[in-house]
């Protein structure tokens, strides 16, 4: 299953894409330059920087070709060549950004990530950096037939729903669900504690509920705990908050989050396995809070 390609003209984004080497397994645009946020005028959106992520199978070759086409995009690192740029790309979240790049009359920034690193983040939430962006609406501009990548994209959305279910009360609205999902990647973000707009998540979700619906409707329709009344534009959920139900959900979470939860509740020196610890968390009345902390 490919991610739904969101409607509305993507021509201006594809024109940007034409400036780059075309060997991309996935390319998407994201952020306030693509989707309107509450409190921002349409004119403000037109002036915002456009943000892109390019996933590439062979980062060294892609950077080599991009240096030939767009050498001015790079900092002093261009003097060290594509191998050095690729080795730096592997640090942190596995993504290398060129920023403040003038293109077609707009300022853009673009991140380059290897397809393998992206797949690992989508399946396991290794850093949740790019996976977190893909839990919110993005404009897919190019996507090849890599079946493992497509499976990872869907897995990331399913994991986001599972984590949100664990943190939400037994019943909730559709908007509550999307607010929880959109907030996942901000939970551990230091910028959201210091200096960033506290209502950022709400501003992302409220004007874009239809985009969230398009992204998650297939997963929610297949979810036995949810009655999804799409024709009414409404979702009715009754989440199983029994220890058994929560344990099933905890066991379905991405590996890195399971490890973080385990580290939170397992005292040093006790060598218990992950399954045993998650069973303990499933019985905890504060299970949702522990997942949020993780």
């Amino acid at each position: 299953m490919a991610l739904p390609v969101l409607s509305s003209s993507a021509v201006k984004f594809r024109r940007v894409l034409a400036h780059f080497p075309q060997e991309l397994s996935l390319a998407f645009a994201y952020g306030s330059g693509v989707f309107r946020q509450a409190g921002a005028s349409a004119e403000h959106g037109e002036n915002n920087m456009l943000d892109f992520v390019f996933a590439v199978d062979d980062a060294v070759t892609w950077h080599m070709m991009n240096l030939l086409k767009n050498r001015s995009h790079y900092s002093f690192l261009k003097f060290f060549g594509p191998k050095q740029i690729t080795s730096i790309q592997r640090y942190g979240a596995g993504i290398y950004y060129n920023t403040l790049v003038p293109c077609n009359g707009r300022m853009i920034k673009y991140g380059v990530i290897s397809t393998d690193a992206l797949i690992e983040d989508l399946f396991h939430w290794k850093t949740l950096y790019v996976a977190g962006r893909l839990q919110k609406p993005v404009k897919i501009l190019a996507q090849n037939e890599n079946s493992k990548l497509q499976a990872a994209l869907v897995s990331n959305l399913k994991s986001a729903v599972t984590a949100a279910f664990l943190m939400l009360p037994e019943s909730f609205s559709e908007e509550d669900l999307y607010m929880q999902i959109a907030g996942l990647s901000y939970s551990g973000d230091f910028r959201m504690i210091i200096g960033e707009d506290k209502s950022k998540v709400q501003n992302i979700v409220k004007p874009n509920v239809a985009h969230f619906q398009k992204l998650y409707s297939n997963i929610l329709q297949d979810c036995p705990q949810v009655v999804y009344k799409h024709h009414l534009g409404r979702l009715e959920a009754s989440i199983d908050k029994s220890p058994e139900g929560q344990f099933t959900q905890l066991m379905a979470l991405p590996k890195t989050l399971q490890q973080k939860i385990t580290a939170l509740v397992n005292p040093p020196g006790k060598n218990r396995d992950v399954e045993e610890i998650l069973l303990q968390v499933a019985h905890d009345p504060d299970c949702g809070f522990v997942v949020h902390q993780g």
Side-chain angles (χ1 to χ4, degrees):
M1 171 188 151
L3 280 197
V5 176
L6 297 169
S7 57
S8 89
S9 170
V11 171
K12 67 179 174 184
F13 303 112
R14 292 214 165 87
R15 281 188 186 136
V16 169
L17 214 57
H19 289 264
F20 295 94
Q22 295 303 293
E23 288 70 11
L24 303 166
S25 58
L26 181 73
F28 64 88
Y30 66 94
S32 56
V34 183
F35 296 100
R36 197 171 68 80
Q37 294 190 5
S41 66
E43 186 184 334
H44 178 69
E46 281 299 310
N47 295 326
N48 278 6
M49 188 182 292
L50 292 177
D51 300 321
F52 297 87
V53 167
F54 302 150
V56 301
D57 290 345
D58 182 343
V60 175
T61 300
W62 195 90
H63 283 298
M64 181 178 72
M65 293 164 69
N66 198 41
L67 281 163
L68 291 172
K69 281 178 82 100
N70 299 305
R71 191 171 176 82
S72 64
H73 294 184
Y74 291 82
S75 68
F76 68 93
L77 287 173
K78 58 178 165 272
F79 299 111
F80 295 101
K83 283 187 180 174
Q84 191 63 41
I85 292 167
T86 301
S87 68
I88 286 167
Q89 181 179 305
R90 293 191 188 107
Y91 286 98
I95 187 163
Y96 173 89
Y97 270 95
N98 280 329
T99 188
L100 295 172
V101 173
C103 186
N104 292 357
R106 294 284 294 268
M107 277 294 181
I108 71 165
K109 77 169 186 274
Y110 60 95
V112 183
I113 186 169
S114 80
T115 307
D116 288 344
L118 174 59
I119 287 170
E120 188 172 8
D121 198 33
L122 292 167
F123 273 130
H124 303 305
W125 290 5
K126 188 180 177 192
T127 69
L128 203 56
Y129 187 82
V130 182
R133 277 156 177 68
L134 285 161
Q135 290 162 1
K136 297 180 274 290
V138 301
K139 185 86 72 182
I140 301 285
L141 304 173
Q143 186 176 355
N144 71 8
E145 295 300 309
N146 183 329
S147 58
K148 190 173 181 188
L149 175 56
Q150 289 185 8
L153 288 162
V154 176
S155 171
N156 180 45
L157 298 181
K158 287 180 176 174
S159 295
V161 169
T162 301
F165 281 174
L166 281 160
M167 290 189 271
L168 285 161
E170 196 169 347
S171 58
F172 50 84
S173 72
E174 186 169 13
E175 195 173 291
D176 290 338
L177 174 63
Y178 299 144
M179 289 280 289
Q180 193 72 62
I181 288 171
L184 287 175
S185 54
Y186 294 118
S187 299
D189 189 339
F190 184 69
R191 293 172 305 167
M192 295 304 286
I193 303 162
I194 306 290
E196 286 242 346
D197 184 358
K198 296 286 192 298
S199 58
K200 181 164 184 152
V201 173
Q202 196 172 27
N203 292 347
I204 289 167
V205 173
K206 280 197 176 294
N208 295 301
V209 167
H211 291 309
F212 277 92
Q213 284 175 330
K214 192 163 187 179
L215 200 52
Y216 286 98
S217 62
N218 285 344
I219 288 164
L220 294 173
Q221 279 165 357
D222 291 342
C223 188
Q225 295 168 307
V226 170
V227 178
Y228 194 53
K229 300 187 174 174
H230 195 60
H231 59 292
L232 299 174
R234 182 165 98 238
L235 165 152
E236 291 180 5
S238 182
I239 301 304
D240 182 359
K241 290 290 177 181
S242 71
E244 295 78 18
Q246 293 194 140
F247 178 64
T248 301
Q249 290 169 348
L250 287 164
M251 289 299 289
L253 290 174
K255 184 174 68 179
T256 307
L257 180 53
Q258 288 181 341
Q259 289 167 345
K260 296 285 183 190
I261 293 167
T262 300
L264 279 170
V265 299
N266 192 35
K270 281 206 173 185
N271 292 324
R272 296 185 296 160
D273 64 22
V274 171
E275 197 168 326
E276 186 186 343
I277 294 158
L278 293 182
L279 188 58
Q280 176 193 323
V281 174
H283 282 80
D284 189 331
D286 292 328
C287 174
F289 180 70
V290 175
V291 173
H292 179 84
Q293 291 292 97

